[in-house]
């Protein structure tokens, strides 16, 4: 397939309209959002959405998020609880996806046969214009090959999907760099299924009582049927085996330095996911700082790009420093643990 690539910003109306035509005709368009780049198709067309699964190699039991540009989502849902409305009013447009009871308008393929649908209104203006010009909601997972780190730049999407989609539009690096918070609000009960930039604290600040799905905090039990099907898959994974080292940072640095030496004697290269505070403490290895520990937002925005850089350098092992699992740290560590297949050493 010949893939058109357009560098656009929010004022590139003609090109965004052309992309919207592709969506209307049942094609695939990669587009930017504030979380990660999305691989979009007309959410009301089963045939169009089937192509998303094919292009990504995505398992069919992993549902898609439906992106809208309008607060009126009554056509796509059967019931919108008061708490769901409260979340929409406070955080839409923005990086939070709400799981609601689905209407028959949404094909079963989109929701992987669940009777719920995940809906989000992105704040990215190119994304919203695309949805508006298309005149239909756009189903979109992250625009990467299934299993790889999510794409936070247009180059990442070109690396993964060139030749597999009709069009790629974008240019800017994604503002948040982690996928949206997914929150289930089928009735008035609010449960976070995937942590993201909208944190538990932020949801509690608007007066909600919030549960965190237990699978976020620990490795999901193979026998347990996850509420959010995406939870069970290997995700965000770099090519090299990855280990996260948590606990006192001085100890983590010593341990990683020991590993760098050990691997070097075997002719192997260690990639270190470090921070501004520690990057000069490593002796050898391929060191990348994801940013300063004082700015977790920037660490989130850099994380997937850093994992992809280790792939490019072709390191043999990755050792990563850990972060506190509160606030945005919960979302960062959730992605890192999956990338490391839950390989965590606590010192
Ligand atoms: P991705 O688009 O790759 O970021 O993945 C979207 C994720 O949203 C899925 O992996 C699920 O975890 C979640 N999701 C989508 N639809 C539903 C739903 N109906 N119920 C629960 N979780 C959902
Ligand atoms: Mg994804």
């Amino acid at each position: 397939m010949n893939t058109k690539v357009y560098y656009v910003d929010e004022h590139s109306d003609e090109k965004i309209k052309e992309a919207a035509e592709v969506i209307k005709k049942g094609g695939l368009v990669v587009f930017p959002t504030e979380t990660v780049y999305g691989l979009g198709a007309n959410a009301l067309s089963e045939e169009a959405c089937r192509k998303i699964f094919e292009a990504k190699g995505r398992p069919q039991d992993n549902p898609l998020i439906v992106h809208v540009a309008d607060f009126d989502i009554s056509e796509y849902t059967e019931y919108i609880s008061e708490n769901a409305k409260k979340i929409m009013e406070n955080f839409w447009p923005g990086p939070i996806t709400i799981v609601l009871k689905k209407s028959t308008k949404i094909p079963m393929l989109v929701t992987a046969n669940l009777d719920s649908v995940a809906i989000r209104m992105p704040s990215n203006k190119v994304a919203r214009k695309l949805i508006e010009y298309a005149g239909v909601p756009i189903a979109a997972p992250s625009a990467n090959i299934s299993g790889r780190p999510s794409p936070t730049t247009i180059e990442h999407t070109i690396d993964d999907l060139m030749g597999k989609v009709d069009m790629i539009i974008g240019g800017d690096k994604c503002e948040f760099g982690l996928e949206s918070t997914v929150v289930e609000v089928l009735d008035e009960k609010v449960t976070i299924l995937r942590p993201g930039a909208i944190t538990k604290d932020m949801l509690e600040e608007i007066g909600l009582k919030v549960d965190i799905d237990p699978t976020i905090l620990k490795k999901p039990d193979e026998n347990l049927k996850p509420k959010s099907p995406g939870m069970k898959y290997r995700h965000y994974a770099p090519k090299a085996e990855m280990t996260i080292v948590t606990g006192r940072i001085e100890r983590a640095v010593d341990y990683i330095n020991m590993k760098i030496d050990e691997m070097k004697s075997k002719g192997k290269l260690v990639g270190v996911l470090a921070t501004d505070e520690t990057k000069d403490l490593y002796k050898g290895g391929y060191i990348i700082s994801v940013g300063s520990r004082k700015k977790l937002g920037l660490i989130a925005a850099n994380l997937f790009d850093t994992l992809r850089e280790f792939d490019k350098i072709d390191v043999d092992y990755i050792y990563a420093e850990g972060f506190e699992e509160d606030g945005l740290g919960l979302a960062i560590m959730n992605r890192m643990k999956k990338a490391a297949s839950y390989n965590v050493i606590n010192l």
Side-chain angles (χ1 to χ4, degrees), residues 36 56 58 62 141-151 179 194 235-236:
V36 302
K56 280 191 65 137
R58 185 178 176 97
N62 195 357
S142 49
N144 53 288
I145 296 293
S146 225
R148 296 209 69 207
S150 299
E179 303 81 355
R194 175 171 77 184
H235 247 101
Y236 322 120

Side-chain angles (χ1 to χ4, degrees), residues 60-193:
Q60 293 243 346
D61 63 349
N62 195 357
L64 309 175
I65 292 171
V66 174
H67 295 75
V68 296
D70 197 296
F71 279 92
D72 181 9
I73 54 169
S74 53
E75 268 185 77
Y76 317 124
T77 57
E78 213 143 79
Y79 172 68
I80 307 171
S81 61
E82 286 309 311
N83 283 344
K85 282 181 199 152
K86 211 166 177 178
I87 295 171
M88 290 165 64
E89 281 161 14
N90 282 277
F91 298 110
W92 273 10
I96 187 162
T97 297
I98 309 178
V99 174
L100 298 159
K101 194 134 180 62
K102 87 184 262 297
S103 77
T104 50
K105 261 201 134 173
I106 302 291
M108 291 306 271
L109 179 77
V110 169
T111 63
N113 288 319
L114 296 170
D115 54 15
S116 59
V117 59
I119 307 184
R120 178 166 100 84
M121 187 197 291
S123 62
N124 181 289
K125 295 206 172 88
V126 173
R128 282 228 305 285
K129 277 196 173 172
L130 178 68
I131 302 163
E132 274 163 22
Y133 288 139
V136 290
I138 295 182
S142 49
N144 53 288
I145 296 293
S146 225
R148 296 209 69 207
S150 299
T152 51
T153 66
I154 192 169
E155 287 75 25
H156 296 160
T157 74
I158 292 171
D159 285 346
D160 278 20
L161 294 173
M162 197 68 186
K164 294 185 169 162
V165 299
D166 298 285
M167 193 178 280
I168 295 176
I169 65 171
D172 287 343
K173 183 177 165 180
C174 299
E175 180 187 348
F176 294 106
L178 294 182
E179 303 81 355
S180 58
T181 305
V182 176
V183 69
E184 182 189 77
V185 204
L186 296 174
D187 39 46
E188 298 303 341
K189 196 168 162 337
V190 180
T191 309
I192 294 179
L193 303 184

